[in-house]
Amino acid sequence: MRRYLSHQFPNELKTYISLILASVLTVIAIDFFLLSSDYAQHAFKHLIGKNPALSFAITPITFVLIVYTAKYFCHYIQGSGIPQLIAANDSRNKTIREKLLSFRVAVGKIVFIFVGMLGGAPIGIEGPSIHIGGSIFYGFNRFLKLKRKLLIHSLIAIGGSAGLIVAFNAPLAGFLFAYEEIGRKLKKQALVLIAIVSALVYVLTLLYRGNTPYLGDFSAHSLNLELIWQLIPLAVLAGVVGGLFSKSILYLIAKFISHNKARVITIALFLGLIIGLFNYLSAGKIAGSGRDEVILMLAGNQLGLEFVFMKYFATLTSLVSTIPGGLFMPSISIGAGIGAEIAPYYSNIDAQVILMMSMIAYLSAVIRAPLTATFVILEMSAAINLLIPGLLVAFIANWISKQIFTQPIYEALAENYLKLTKN
């Protein structure tokens, strides 16, 4: 038994001290990141609400500035950051891991997301939070100098889990994401250490800022399981739309990638103008993560089919540009928009339940991690009692999406990152 335990856990006291320090630093850093990002997106929305035409200048300039700087000076902070964690965990090359994950990368991610939000980019914070968490935890390996592959890769998975936990106050989703995506190739015994440190991060998060649900408390809502079959068409629709979204991103990234500086600037300007147009037409509603809009829709406000259309294509455009930014919350807002349009056709199910099921289904279809999608939405809305219908729509949407594009989006992007980092 002693030999079994020693194989799963670090042997040195300094490793445990470093894990505690990394947990504390991650909670503080990501909370600051969330507050600064929230301030930036609200500042942009306030400005554009008064003068929408400014989006035609601010957003394209921001995209050119960020895309150019990130590509030629801070290449490894691009995108959501989740592919970097997966690539780092899949790679046996220490040099690649240290390029993808470091304290420098964490700081760069915070700065670039702030600038992107300030410029009206339709980006989320959870992927970057995962990247920041992974970078902080792996950054401590400079002092630990861990040799065992199991512990090094566990450290990366722990950091990613911690990032999602702090971002959304969602401990189960954080752990499941480490299992489904970041650490999917880890030996199962690593999950014990990941679970323990994830629990520590969650406790520290509660002590630091409390336990307010990210999207509000919807624990009073329920669903008669005799009506569960009515959710199948919703799951199929979300699966198709989400699957096409993921396939389109990977296709367009391959088409738009360039190493010519003039072409990089031209493409960034063009894509920034597209998003500037959507910001103008929506008066800034499609900018930022989409959390505010989700809360509005859950409260019964209608943003219309045009919001779904613009957020869908703005998010797609933003990700194709490779600007740093997350995919979770923008996808959740698109799912909520789809649910808001469908909800009137469900006379026997509460509109809020339909919205949550639609968010779960669409997110699952996009990221192809059904357990994570289910638990992150239900934990953010304190509606864990909807677990059974949530799992149903998540797995159906995931299956439908898989028929459209076999490989999960983050896994496909991680493979591209490994190719790029070998050049």
Side-chain angles (χ1 to χ4, degrees), residues 129-348:
S129 296
I130 290 168
H131 196 187
I132 292 167
S135 294
I136 291 173
F137 271 84
Y138 187 73
F140 272 83
N141 196 45
R142 289 182 178 272
F143 312 111
L144 298 173
K145 300 187 184 302
L146 296 172
K147 302 295 184 183
R148 287 166 53 196
K149 176 184 173 183
L150 176 68
L151 292 179
I152 293 172
H153 290 193
S154 295
L155 197 66
I156 296 170
I158 287 167
S161 174
L164 185 56
I165 289 169
V166 181
F168 288 151
N169 271 11
L172 294 175
F175 173 75
L176 289 168
F177 190 70
Y179 169 73
E180 282 191 301
E181 283 287 354
I182 305 169
R184 68 195 187 288
K185 293 183 180 180
L186 279 177
K187 294 180 180 178
K188 295 299 181 286
Q189 62 261 38
L191 296 175
V192 179
L193 182 60
I194 295 171
I196 291 172
V197 182
S198 295
L200 171 63
V201 170
Y202 180 56
V203 171
L204 290 172
T205 303
L206 293 181
L207 293 173
Y208 191 73
R209 68 171 188 216
N211 190 30
T212 304
Y214 192 74
L215 295 177
D217 188 344
F218 293 90
S219 57
H221 292 273
S222 60
L223 173 66
N224 185 343
L225 293 183
E226 292 180 358
L227 303 174
I228 197 170
W229 63 271
Q230 296 184 15
L231 299 174
I232 295 175
L234 182 154
V236 172
L237 173 63
V240 171
V241 178
L244 290 173
F245 181 90
S246 295
K247 186 172 184 176
S248 299
I249 285 176
L250 295 169
Y251 173 80
L252 291 172
I253 285 178
K255 288 293 182 183
F256 278 98
I257 193 168
S258 174
H259 301 290
N260 179 281
K261 290 186 177 181
R263 192 163 185 263
V264 167
I265 292 172
T266 302
I267 291 172
L269 183 64
F270 172 68
L271 297 177
L273 280 170
I274 292 175
I275 295 173
L277 174 63
F278 287 133
N279 277 328
Y280 172 78
L281 294 174
S282 68
K285 286 188 179 65
I286 63 99
S289 68
R291 179 195 180 194
D292 291 343
E293 288 69 32
V294 172
I295 291 173
L296 282 173
M297 286 185 278
L298 285 170
N301 295 281
Q302 292 289 331
L303 298 184
L305 191 59
E306 63 274 15
F307 169 79
V308 180
F309 176 87
M310 288 190 286
K311 189 70 175 181
Y312 185 92
F313 285 102
T315 304
L316 179 65
T317 304
S318 181
L319 291 169
V320 168
S321 76
T322 70
I323 189 174
L327 178 57
F328 270 56
M329 202 61 224
S331 296
I332 291 169
S333 68
I334 294 167
I338 294 172
E341 294 302 307
I342 294 175
Y345 298 98
Y346 285 88
S347 58
N348 297 322

Side-chain angles (χ1 to χ4, degrees), residues 33-44:
F33 168 62
L34 299 179
L35 290 173
S36 62
S37 300
D38 197 52
Y39 170 82
Q41 64 179 311
H42 283 106
F44 176 82

Side-chain angles (χ1 to χ4, degrees), residues 408-423:
I409 183 171
Y410 291 134
E411 187 178 316
L413 291 172
E415 286 186 0
N416 291 335
Y417 246 106
L418 280 172
K419 292 175 186 176
L420 288 172
T421 51
K422 289 176 182 176
N423 292 336

